[in-house]
C-alpha cells in the first residue's frame, strides 16, 4: 500500500540533492507511469500489495492521496 508513496518520497528527496538524473530515478519514474490507471492520471493501490508482489503500485480504487503521491514523484523525477 505504500509503494507509490514511498517511491514518490524518495524521488522528491533525491530531487533536493540534484540526483534525479540517475538511472535508478528514471526506472522509478517509469514504474510510477506504468502504475497509473489507463487514463494515466490516477493512482490507486490495494492492501493486497503487502502480500502479493504482483500488485505493487496498482489495483484498488484510485484515491486523491495516491494520485497526489504519484504526481509528486513524477514531477520530482521529470526531465528538465
Amino acid at each position: 500500500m505504500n509503494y507509490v508513496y514511498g517511491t514518490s518520497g524518495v524521488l522528491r528527496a533525491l530531487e533536493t540533492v540534484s540526483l534525479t538524473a540517475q538511472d535508478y530515478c528514471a526506472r522509478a519514474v517509469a514504474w510510477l507511469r506504468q502504475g497509473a490507471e489507463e487514463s494515466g492520471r490516477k493512482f490507486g493501490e490495494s492492501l493486497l500489495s503487502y502480500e502479493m508482489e504482483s500488485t505493487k503500485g496498482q489495483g484498488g480504487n484510485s484515491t486523491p492521496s495516491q494520485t497526489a503521491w504519484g504526481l509528486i514523484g513524477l514531477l520530482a523525477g521529470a526531465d528538465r
Side-chain angles (χ1 to χ4, degrees), residues 29-51:
V29 168
W31 181 83
L32 282 172
R33 285 186 178 142
Q34 68 92 45
E37 282 186 353
E38 274 186 30
S39 67
R41 298 183 303 219
K42 297 179 184 175
F43 289 84
E45 195 167 21
S46 167
L47 290 173
L48 289 175
S49 65
Y50 286 119
E51 297 179 20

Side-chain angles (χ1 to χ4, degrees), residues 3-37:
Y3 292 101
V4 173
Y5 169 77
T7 302
S8 296
V10 169
L11 285 168
R12 180 63 186 102
L14 291 171
E15 179 187 31
T16 65
V17 292
S18 302
L19 289 176
T20 54
Q22 301 297 320
D23 180 57
Y24 47 80
C25 289
R27 290 193 316 265
V29 168
W31 181 83
L32 282 172
R33 285 186 178 142
Q34 68 92 45
E37 282 186 353

